[in-house]
Amino acid sequence: MAYKPPNQGKIGQVIDVIVLLALTIGTLYIPLWLGLAGAAKTPAPIENPTWETLNQSPVAVERWNALGFADPASANDIITARFDYSFAMGELLIMAVVVIGYFFLIIRLSGKEYHEVIAEKFGSQK
Amino acid sequence: MSQTTAKSSPKISLLRVLGPAHVWALGVGIVLVGEYMGWNFAVGKGGAYAALIACWAAGLLYTCVAMIDSEVTSTVAAAGGQYAQAKHIIGPLMAFNVGLYLVFAYTMLEAANAITVGFLVDTVAGMSGHSGIDQRPFIVLSIIFLAWLNYRGVLATLTFSLVITAFAFVAIIVLFFGVAPWNVDSPLKHVELLGNQPALPYGWLGVLAAMHFGLWYYLGIEGTTQAAEEVRSPARSLPFGTMAGIITLLIAATLTWYVSTGLMPWEYLGQAGVPLFDAARLSGSTVLMVILGIGTLFSTLASANGCINDASRAWFSMGRDHYLPAWFGAVHPTYRTPYRSIIFLVPIALIFALGAPLDQVITFSIVSGLLGYTFMPLNIILFRRKWPLDTIKRGYVHPFHPLPAIVLLALCGVTYVAVFLGYGTQLVSMVAFYIVVSLWFHFWRYQFVSRGKQFTMPWPRPKGY
């Protein structure tokens, strides 16, 4: 016999919408807002910078000027900013476990649901 | 798009009117903005040459995507693209996740486009002596205006997009010919700008890291499959149109890299908000500057427009299937658009457009796209296993299976590490989001979903079931 899903009332639908919004904002936006996520790129400005100490060629200096950076100090942060790619192997492993675990979880749970779909569509196998 | 209500209206079949050229235009149209902004963060992550290597490696990734997706889509020729594929091949929870990948990849791209509009207005205002203007009204206005266009109807929306995309595409070609690289007095100075710097400032680790934003050159090209039900000859048009789109973007991306790195220091390019507009400014030609300024504005608006269209349709489809509250599965009685889905996604786009930096919003879009690409090799392997080649007629059979799936999976693995380098917390928070909503779906929402109705293709029972 085909599965007959229950009808969801308006209040239930509103609650589901609120839950979805809360999950979206809670897991994606709040970490950004709290400064917990984002680019690990930090400037390392040098003292009393000159275009030479910033390793900029004459053509590069001309282009910096055309872009609105009239002196080396104004471009100091941009030129010296670098990503810090040092990481602990444990962090990489956590990332791998989270991503692989996520796909394992959805393939497994989807498989259970898929059995129900196929059984209802084609009938149960003897 | 199929425009039926969740409850009672009959399903209207879509007209098969599109050829390979349309498929090509659909793909290139939504992705073109990647040439105007965002790709250059790959330069910031690894240096100029690393960005070029990442551009080509990402091209290989997308070639695998196109091969795999063409086979499945030419067989599951139903509106909804990967969402419909996942329902038939892996199961409802996977389909729910794939639907969310589409929604978030496109909604975050929409937010990124709006941020770029604000940045462009600020840059132009600064050049005319009005620096420091508030960008927020322009961001809000862009999103609200495009949402309103989508609310009113798809025809006007797509016509609007087509015109402004064509302009933005021509603008890139005009810039290339405008700087005339073959001329001795060309403003392009690669040797002077890159010659006294280390070729790879972060070493080969930087090349790996650059792969993160390398995806941005092509992200969204797989959207061509959304039109599967409207293509005249899916077996021919989808693979041909999609592959032609990728080749076009590969050439355009290489040209964009070549012009930009020859005009500005890589340190500036690596963090620029509107790199092609900046390139035009540095070319010394006012005409080029105006054309590329308009091109940037048009490409972002066209892309945001397509994003609202695609994200709202994916959200609507999930509402219609009761994966989400059925309230979202309604169609506007006059305009025949999924108006509730369009309206619902507006505040989400606004929150991120107003409250997060461009590179982080782009990263959310890329991670959602990346999760979708990871799904594809799993999808094709299970597709071939459940329905071997002799069991159902395929529109197109991609060659060398399972090699493209293995290469794609490996490149996805590399890109996860690339995102992890510098943006690890964002990667984990996004995957955590998908884990939590998956548990919510499986243990709560799935009770409202009809089981047998999830499978609509006229195929035999899958092998092993």
Side-chain angles (χ1 to χ4, degrees):
Chain A
M1 188 179 162
Y3 171 74
K4 194 171 182 328
N7 273 330
Q8 191 181 27
K10 280 188 180 164
I11 293 174
Q13 292 194 40
V14 170
I15 291 171
D16 274 3
V17 171
I18 291 169
V19 168
L20 276 171
L21 266 178
L23 288 175
T24 305
I25 294 166
T27 53
L28 299 182
Y29 185 70
I30 301 275
L32 290 185
W33 188 59
L34 293 174
L36 299 174
K41 189 178 186 183
T42 43
I46 56 175
E47 280 189 34
N48 305 315
T50 63
W51 290 118
E52 289 74 24
T53 55
L54 288 170
N55 199 25
Q56 299 298 302
S57 67
V59 171
V61 173
E62 173 205 317
R63 301 291 158 90
W64 280 110
N65 291 338
L67 287 164
F69 296 86
D71 56 78
S74 60
N76 197 358
D77 279 358
I78 294 178
I79 293 172
T80 58
R82 290 290 184 276
F83 280 96
D84 178 10
Y85 289 148
S86 59
F87 62 89
M89 196 48 80
E91 293 171 351
L92 185 63
L93 280 175
I94 289 172
M95 188 273 292
V97 167
V98 169
V99 173
I100 294 168
Y102 161 69
F103 276 102
F104 180 78
L105 177 82
I106 49 173
I107 294 284
R108 185 145 181 120
L109 295 181
S110 284
K112 285 174 77 174
E113 296 169 356
Y114 192 68
H115 270 286
E116 295 174 1
V117 170
I118 297 302
E120 192 171 305
K121 176 76 181 176
F122 296 96
S124 296
Q125 284 278 53
K126 288 176 185 171
Chain B
M1 284 291 156
S2 179
Q3 302 283 303
T4 57
T5 61
K7 286 181 180 172
S8 56
S9 299
K11 186 166 182 176
I12 303 165
S13 64
L14 301 168
L15 286 176
R16 289 193 178 275
V17 293
L18 306 180
H22 296 103
V23 174
W24 173 87
L26 275 172
V28 174
I30 202 162
V31 185
L32 190 65
V33 71
E35 316 293 320
Y36 276 91
M37 62 90 170
W39 68 271
N40 53 303
F41 293 134
V43 176
K45 281 197 86 175
Y49 294 109
L52 185 63
I53 297 168
C55 162
W56 292 337
L60 177 63
L61 183 150
Y62 279 89
T63 304
C64 296
V65 165
M67 288 171 75
I68 290 170
D69 218 30
S70 293
E71 174 171 331
V72 188
T73 307
S74 67
T75 316
V76 191
Q82 292 86 8
Y83 168 69
Q85 297 171 15
K87 273 202 296 187
H88 288 86
I89 297 168
I90 299 185
L93 177 60
M94 187 77 245
F96 174 69
N97 276 268
V98 169
L100 288 183
Y101 300 156
L102 293 170
V103 168
F104 280 97
Y106 287 128
T107 303
M108 294 298 174
L109 173 51
E110 174 196 345
N113 286 321
I115 292 171
T116 306
V117 170
F119 191 80
L120 179 68
V121 172
D122 187 32
T123 305
V124 173
M127 288 166 61
S128 55
H130 299 88
S131 56
I133 62 158
D134 190 347
Q135 299 179 18
R136 288 174 298 180
F138 300 98
I139 292 172
V140 175
L141 198 64
S142 305
I143 291 176
I144 299 287
F145 170 68
L146 294 173
W148 173 76
L149 266 186
N150 275 273
Y151 184 98
R152 286 296 301 263
V154 71
L155 183 63
T157 305
L158 291 180
T159 307
F160 170 77
S161 272
L162 196 65
V163 173
I164 61 179
T165 298
F167 183 94
F169 186 72
V170 171
I172 294 178
I173 306 293
V174 168
L175 176 65
F176 179 73
F177 283 100
V179 296
W182 53 85
N183 245 334
V184 283
D185 55 353
S186 165
L188 298 182
K189 304 287 181 196
H190 289 95
V191 175
E192 292 84 348
L193 287 170
L194 298 173
N196 67 332
Q197 305 266 356
L200 296 172
Y202 294 95
W204 283 97
L205 194 61
V207 177
L208 176 66
M211 190 62 184
H212 168 189
F213 290 107
L215 261 60
W216 198 243
Y217 284 111
Y218 315 91
L219 194 117
I221 185 79
E222 70 281 6
T224 52
T225 60
Q226 301 287 329
E229 237 176 270
E230 294 153 273
V231 175
R232 275 197 303 270
S233 171
R236 178 174 150 271
S237 302
L238 282 174
F240 185 75
T242 309
M243 289 303 293
I246 286 175
I247 291 166
T248 306
L249 290 169
L250 192 59
I251 293 168
T254 306
L255 287 182
T256 302
W257 177 91
Y258 181 73
V259 171
S260 300
T261 53
L263 282 168
M264 64 193 93
W266 75 271
E267 297 97 330
Y268 179 85
L269 179 61
Q271 54 79 59
V274 282
L276 273 184
F277 178 63
D278 287 331
R281 284 166 66 193
L282 292 169
S283 72
S285 162
T286 308
V287 174
L288 280 180
M289 190 177 74
V290 171
I291 290 174
L292 268 294
I294 296 171
T296 303
L297 184 66
F298 280 7
S299 68
T300 49
L301 291 178
S303 173
N305 200 26
C307 289
I308 294 173
N309 184 77
D310 287 358
S312 62
R313 264 77 184 164
W315 197 260
F316 161 79
S317 296
M318 289 197 285
R320 194 177 52 179
D321 292 338
H322 292 198
Y323 286 29
L324 294 171
W327 186 78
F328 291 116
V331 176
H332 193 281
T334 308
Y335 303 124
R336 300 184 65 78
T337 51
Y339 67 114
R340 289 175 183 165
S341 299
I342 292 169
I343 294 169
F344 177 77
L345 293 172
V346 165
I348 294 178
L350 282 174
I351 286 168
F352 286 92
L354 293 171
L358 180 60
D359 60 331
Q360 294 175 24
V361 173
I362 286 177
T363 297
F364 276 137
S365 181
I366 287 174
V367 171
S368 285
L370 182 59
L371 290 166
Y373 305 143
T374 313
F375 145 77
M376 287 178 186
L378 307 174
N379 194 39
I380 188 70
I381 289 167
L382 289 172
F383 184 47
R384 289 275 182 117
R385 190 180 295 169
K386 291 178 180 178
W387 291 278
L389 290 181
D390 56 346
T391 54
I392 54 173
K393 186 176 182 302
R394 286 158 161 82
Y396 166 78
V397 177
H398 82 274
F400 311 121
H401 177 78
L403 191 60
I406 293 167
V407 172
L408 178 54
L409 208 51
L411 285 170
C412 285
V414 166
T415 313
Y416 283 114
V417 178
V419 178
F420 169 77
L421 292 171
Y423 294 78
T425 317
Q426 255 188 292
L427 172 64
V428 172
S429 72
M430 187 118 218
V431 178
F433 164 74
Y434 283 112
I435 290 173
V436 174
V437 290
S438 293
L439 294 173
W440 173 79
F441 177 85
H442 182 76
F443 291 108
W444 166 252
R445 188 69 224 171
Y446 184 53
Q447 64 176 309
F448 301 108
V449 177
S450 295
R451 295 347 190 203
K453 287 182 184 169
Q454 302 313 303
F455 199 105
T456 54
M457 295 304 292
W459 295 346
R461 178 188 283 272
K463 200 176 164 189
Y465 285 80

